[in-house]
Amino acid sequence: MEPKQKKRSKQKSRSFDAPEKLETVSFTESSEVIEARLKQSPKRKSGVNVRDVYKIGRTLGTGGFAVVKLVTHRKTMKQFACKIMRLPEANAEVGENENTRADVFREIEILCGIEHENVIYMKEFYEENNRVYLITDLLTGGELLDAVMDRGMYSEADACFCFKQIVSGIAYLHSKGVVHRDLKMENLLLASPDDITHIKIVDFGLAKASGKLNCRMGTICGTPQYVAPEIIESAESYAAYGKAVDMWSAGVVLFILLGGYPPFHHDNESVMFEQIRQGKFKFDEEVWNTISSNAKDLIRKLLSVNPAARCTAEECLQHPWFSGRPSNVPLNATSENLKKNYRKQFQEDSAKLPEDPVE
């Protein structure tokens, strides 16, 4: 988690209205089943109050139905981030884009089982008074996108270095049977300021742990600009999808890192969904004249409409772009595009935990 008191206006992760239909098959477990497993987790701390172990400090960020606080371990004085989420009653009705009890426990269970240098780490969690407290890494570097825009010089070699870390994190998650389902620039954070050598994938609120690499999912979710075509198609055909959706999102991220703008964009979401379904993107802007053919080839392999033909994370890491020598020449046009398209007026995030205060 990271101390972001302000952030740019951005697209929310959500269940979205794909063309014509929203209904689909969903493969889920009840909160009772997941909760029973979590009771056996060594990361679940029971018999002690979180405030007895940590001093809860200032708010680092708010969003959706959670708040992130700075906490300090009372014995070691080491600082962490604490994500606090409301825990609904079992089988309680929630809003369309709110977390159910099962959703909350599913996110916690996924975080309990993962540990990788490019993925957010959860140290432990507490359950008290219909809330859960997730103690995680304190990430102080903010968003990767902001760091890229603030760099005095930004090159294709920098983009390659960043993207390899991202794909390494994805490859690890897929090896553990976890599909993130909401990979986007806003969910790529730096461990420390101005340091692009340590990128972390965060926010597992929409992630799914299949337990099997060939497990198929059917929930319509994600952030529209990054969503894979098979997720949109599943709204109409009830077809399931797999971990390849993360690689499509990775392709969108790479396109943005190199071009400075998204491959699919339109004010009308339905039109944008049609662009995605057809895989309609181009390298026709002048900015792409200075980008290597290897980089563009990798983007094409990631933004393949056919998920079976799309690069897997492991295949991606073997691509010649990573083993080659990407240029260190400054991508001035890319930097300008990023500032023009993403450097918007900062505003307070007004989303807060409903009702009871958490302090």
Side-chain angles (χ1 to χ4, degrees):
M1 298 299 168
E2 81 291 357
K4 292 189 294 179
Q5 293 176 308
K6 296 186 177 183
K7 51 188 174 183
R8 76 176 130 278
S9 177
K10 61 185 73 172
Q11 294 186 38
K12 287 185 177 181
S13 310
R14 58 187 173 86
S15 295
F16 54 84
D17 294 321
E20 296 183 17
K21 290 184 181 179
L22 180 63
E23 300 85 0
T24 186
V25 179
S26 181
F27 307 101
T28 59
E29 290 180 299
S30 69
S31 62
E32 292 85 356
V33 172
I34 305 172
E35 192 170 358
R37 287 199 298 266
L38 282 174
K39 285 182 177 179
Q40 307 303 315
S41 172
K43 291 193 175 185
R44 179 179 182 267
K45 301 304 175 182
S46 59
V48 62
N49 190 294
V50 65
R51 288 170 177 79
D52 293 335
V53 181
Y54 296 92
K55 179 181 178 180
I56 298 182
R58 63 187 176 89
T59 298
L60 301 177
T62 58
F65 303 92
V67 62
V68 181
K69 297 274 188 177
L70 176 67
V71 298
T72 305
H73 195 278
R74 293 186 183 275
K75 287 186 177 180
T76 67
M77 301 306 294
K78 185 174 181 180
Q79 292 186 320
F80 298 89
C82 177
K83 181 178 181 179
I84 307 171
M85 294 186 287
R86 182 174 295 284
L87 189 60
E89 294 293 334
N91 302 315
E93 291 188 10
V94 298
E96 181 182 349
N97 291 312
E98 294 182 45
N99 284 334
T100 65
R101 188 179 183 90
D103 290 333
V104 173
F105 283 132
R106 190 175 298 115
E107 178 179 353
I108 295 172
E109 184 173 43
I110 287 173
L111 290 171
C112 281
I114 56 179
E115 184 174 357
H116 185 272
E117 61 182 349
N118 298 122
V119 179
I120 185 78
Y121 175 72
M122 186 184 74
K123 179 176 180 284
E124 57 198 24
F125 72 96
Y126 299 75
E127 181 184 340
E128 299 173 16
N129 302 320
N130 294 320
R131 283 189 172 82
V132 289
Y133 300 78
L134 280 56
I135 308 299
T136 72
D137 288 334
L138 178 63
L139 305 181
T140 61
E143 295 178 12
L144 169 63
L145 186 56
D146 288 328
V148 167
M149 288 190 289
D150 289 340
R151 289 176 73 82
M153 190 197 81
Y154 174 65
S155 66
E156 183 174 325
D158 291 326
C160 182
F161 182 74
C162 290
F163 193 64
K164 187 171 185 178
Q165 294 178 70
I166 297 166
V167 178
S168 294
I170 297 171
Y172 168 77
L173 292 174
H174 289 181
S175 75
K176 302 291 284 186
V178 174
V179 185
H180 189 280
R181 300 202 298 179
D182 196 25
L183 290 167
K184 56 183 177 180
M185 297 302 301
E186 294 91 336
N187 286 340
L188 302 171
L189 305 186
L190 303 185
S192 56
D194 306 318
D195 182 9
I196 64 170
T197 66
H198 204 171
I199 298 170
K200 299 264 192 179
I201 298 171
V202 304
D203 195 348
F204 284 77
L206 292 179
K208 194 80 167 180
S210 67
K212 299 177 182 178
L213 291 182
N214 61 352
C215 177
R216 309 290 288 175
M217 295 157 287
T219 304
I220 309 303
C221 64
T223 301
Q225 209 166 66
Y226 295 81
V227 76
E230 59 265 33
I231 293 181
I232 300 172
E233 290 291 346
S234 71
E236 297 183 349
S237 63
Y238 300 92
Y241 56 84
K243 64 187 190 301
V245 298
D246 283 348
M247 301 315 298
W248 176 278
S249 300
V252 175
V253 166
L254 181 56
F255 192 103
I256 293 170
L257 285 174
L258 291 174
Y261 63 97
F264 310 103
H265 51 90
H266 198 280
D267 291 339
N268 185 315
E269 197 171 84
S270 294
V271 174
M272 184 176 68
F273 282 156
E274 191 56 33
Q275 293 175 352
I276 292 171
R277 287 158 58 123
Q278 296 183 29
K280 283 190 174 180
F281 69 93
K282 298 178 180 179
F283 298 122
D284 57 351
E285 292 201 16
E286 187 175 344
V287 65
W288 294 102
N289 293 340
T290 57
I291 303 300
S292 69
S293 58
N294 273 340
K296 287 183 277 193
D297 178 70
L298 180 54
I299 290 174
R300 291 189 188 96
K301 285 180 166 61
L302 291 169
L303 295 182
S304 168
V305 171
N306 180 3
R310 198 175 302 153
C311 258
T312 66
E314 292 295 344
E315 289 170 347
C316 183
L317 290 171
Q318 300 303 314
H319 192 275
W321 188 49
F322 293 118
S323 57
R325 296 176 62 86
S327 172
N328 283 301
V329 175
L331 296 178
N332 295 325
T334 301
S335 296
E336 288 303 312
N337 279 346
L338 285 170
K339 292 172 183 177
K340 178 177 67 177
N341 293 312
Y342 294 99
R343 181 74 83 190
K344 298 180 180 178
Q345 181 66 40
F346 282 70
Q347 60 183 15
E348 288 289 344
D349 187 338
S350 59
K352 301 186 188 306
L353 272 175
E355 301 174 7
D356 304 330
V358 295
E359 299 202 58

